[in-house]
Amino acid sequence: MKILVTGGAGYIGSHTTILLMEAGYEVIVFDNFSNASKESIKRVEKIVGKDITLIEGDIRNKEDLQKVFQSHQIKSVIHFAGLKAVGESVEQPLKYYDNNISGTINLCEVMTENNCKSIIFSSSATVYGEPKTTPIDESFPTSATNPYGRSKLFIEEMLRDLYISDSSWKIVLLRYFNPVGAHESGTIGEDPNGIPNNLVPFIAQTAVGKRDYLRVWGDDYNTPDGTGVRDYIHVVDLAKGHVKALEKIDTFNKVMTINLGTGNGYSVLDMVQAFEKASEKKVPYKIMPRRAGDIATCYADPAYAKKILNWEAKRTIKEMCEDTWRWQKQNPNGYKDNE
Ligand code: NAD
Ligand code: WQD
């Protein structure tokens, strides 16, 4: 049973590849390495003790995709490939629409031509925009505040339309909350390009001495300590959610939209404290004005995932910080030292 994992060399894709292989699936990783290193795949191979079929290609290039489907019998696709930097998407919207939307259109066309109609798509809690209340369940209204978020919304709608046109498709839209952490080996993890935008990679780089201090974007939100609250989810729990979705996808013909979150909200300062404990390092910080586009509080109602996938996140904030720290400490420059 071959599973095509687009973007499989990236942060979430590499962790998911491990769990898929451990569950006995044959995985084909397809990636253009625009935001990943081949080293991640080498390390995944080491962890699972098996070789991985790796195809270098771009989802915007139909020929690249055709080659994959013509040389492999693909049962389902897990579609991670995409660009994800919110700020960059504001500066270069067309790059995001082209890569994320045109790429997904190509992929779905090639899948249709090869009669593979089973896809799990990486959506995001960003599609909830500024939620009126929390926890957020899947029926909440959606909106977007930047081109990245809009690309996720458009793709969700596009996949729903695809199903309406052809009900033999099986489609799962997974809305991730805030993925953090790393594989427990400390050999693979998140390797941001340049200065990290996301909180946990920035904290980790501060703890390891690469950054002087963390800028806390606002402490005047309506939250217990005034800083932003998010639903941080361990990447291995998230990866497990994909394996569960793959088990489920054969049993239905419809579009399923599912939150992958823990249901718990932690503030920026909670995360700083937890990371200091895990790393036994000081994480200096300064309170700064709010960051444009940020919301106060965002956390999932994870009940539907539990009901439909029999999945729930298990790992604690402590484990998220300890595993991030192991990865950061062992690889202060990410994969770059091995490229
Ligand atoms: P990532 O950048 O580490 O992984 C994405 C992978 O896709 C990279 O390996 C990149 O090289 C590859 N890629 C990008 N464009 C491609 C193209 N045109 N053709 C082939 N490969 C291409 O990101 P990630 O954090 O692992 O995220 C995976 C998916 O989950 C993305 O779609 C992202 O938008 C979504 N997501 C991520 C988060 C998060 O905070 N990390 C949250 C919600 C949703
Ligand atoms: C978390 C909290 C910040 C950095 C983003 C994307 C979203 C999704 C996940 C893909 C907030 C605060 C952060 C820093 C800080 N990605 N913070 N100092 O904003 O919830 O979501 O990543 O789909 O689309 O928007 O995550 O990690 O950037 O921020 O104080 O240096 O940490 O203000 O409260 P966010 P984040």
Side-chain angles (χ1 to χ4, degrees):
M1 253 193 306
K2 290 189 184 175
I3 308 299
L4 176 64
V5 181
T6 73
Y11 173 45
I12 306 171
S14 57
H15 288 83
T16 303
T17 295
I18 293 175
L19 266 62
L20 289 170
M21 292 183 75
E22 286 174 351
Y25 291 99
E26 222 179 307
V27 178
I28 316 280
V29 167
F30 181 90
D31 205 299
N32 69 352
F33 296 97
S34 58
N35 195 37
S37 160
K38 290 190 181 145
E39 180 65 19
S40 76
I41 293 299
K42 282 191 201 146
R43 294 187 186 186
V44 168
E45 286 178 330
K46 207 162 175 194
I47 290 168
V48 296
K50 285 184 209 153
D51 286 346
I52 293 175
T53 309
L54 171 63
I55 297 170
E56 189 164 351
D58 196 305
I59 54 168
R60 288 166 300 176
N61 183 330
K62 268 191 152 178
E63 277 174 23
D64 286 355
L65 287 166
Q66 279 293 5
K67 271 187 222 148
V68 178
F69 282 88
Q70 277 157 17
S71 41
H72 300 276
Q73 192 76 35
I74 307 288
K75 187 165 172 293
S76 294
V77 177
I78 306 186
H79 178 32
F80 293 106
L83 299 175
K84 61 167 183 176
V86 173
E88 188 186 55
S89 81
V90 175
E91 285 155 19
Q92 300 181 61
L94 299 182
K95 178 174 168 184
Y96 274 68
Y97 291 132
D98 179 41
N99 197 83
N100 295 2
I101 299 182
S102 306
T104 304
I105 293 173
N106 264 344
L107 174 64
C108 291
E109 283 176 350
V110 174
M111 287 175 72
T112 307
E113 285 160 25
N114 290 278
N115 205 27
C116 170
K117 296 184 182 175
S118 165
I119 186 168
I120 297 172
F121 172 64
S122 299
S123 188
S124 166
T126 193
V127 301
Y128 293 117
E130 191 153 356
K132 288 225 158 56
T133 55
T134 41
I136 303 167
D137 73 41
E138 290 82 353
S139 70
F140 271 42
T142 54
S143 66
T145 51
N146 55 69
Y148 165 71
R150 241 179 309 279
S151 77
K152 292 292 174 191
L153 264 185
F154 289 161
I155 295 168
E156 281 201 1
E157 291 303 330
M158 206 169 78
L159 292 173
R160 288 194 186 95
D161 285 338
L162 186 58
Y163 174 76
I164 291 169
S165 75
D166 176 355
S167 62
S168 62
W169 275 87
K170 298 159 186 280
I171 299 172
V172 183
L173 310 174
L174 296 177
R175 292 177 174 164
Y176 313 154
F177 281 67
N178 288 59
V180 299
H183 188 260
E184 62 180 7
S185 64
T187 59
I188 64 163
E190 188 171 10
D191 183 17
N193 254 333
I195 301 171
N197 285 309
N198 292 118
L199 179 67
V200 171
F202 201 102
I203 291 180
Q205 291 195 5
T206 308
V208 86
K210 288 184 77 175
R211 314 272 161 213
D212 293 339
Y213 60 89
L214 168 73
R215 289 164 186 79
V216 175
W217 305 125
D219 68 347
D220 57 351
Y221 286 104
N222 184 18
T223 61
D225 65 17
T227 65
V229 167
R230 296 290 183 274
D231 187 338
Y232 298 96
I233 174 169
H234 196 296
V235 65
V236 175
D237 281 334
L238 192 72
K240 179 80 183 172
H242 293 73
V243 178
K244 289 287 195 177
L246 202 52
E247 285 167 12
K248 185 79 190 176
I249 205 164
D250 281 337
T251 66
F252 69 90
N253 275 93
K254 59 176 178 179
V255 183
M256 294 216 287
T257 307
I258 307 174
N259 282 344
L260 293 184
T262 67
N264 303 310
Y266 288 95
S267 76
V268 176
L269 297 181
D270 289 336
M271 296 307 286
V272 168
Q273 246 183 31
F275 207 91
E276 284 184 335
K277 234 186 200 161
S279 63
E280 298 177 331
K281 298 278 178 197
K282 199 81 202 135
V283 178
Y285 66 85
K286 287 186 191 171
I287 305 292
M288 308 297 279
R290 292 181 180 194
R291 182 172 69 176
D294 270 358
I295 56 176
T297 304
C298 175
Y299 59 90
D301 177 344
Y304 188 59
K306 168 91 177 141
K307 182 174 159 213
I308 212 82
L309 299 180
N310 190 25
W311 169 92
E312 63 188 327
K314 297 239 159 64
R315 290 166 178 79
T316 61
I317 283 290
K318 182 170 176 272
E319 290 165 288
M320 298 179 208
C321 293
E322 284 173 355
D323 291 341
T324 303
W325 180 237
R326 195 173 304 111
W327 153 250
Q328 180 71 64
K329 200 173 44 175
Q330 292 177 20
N331 305 273
N333 300 312
Y335 297 114
K336 290 169 194 74
D337 291 337
N338 294 83
E339 281 170 352

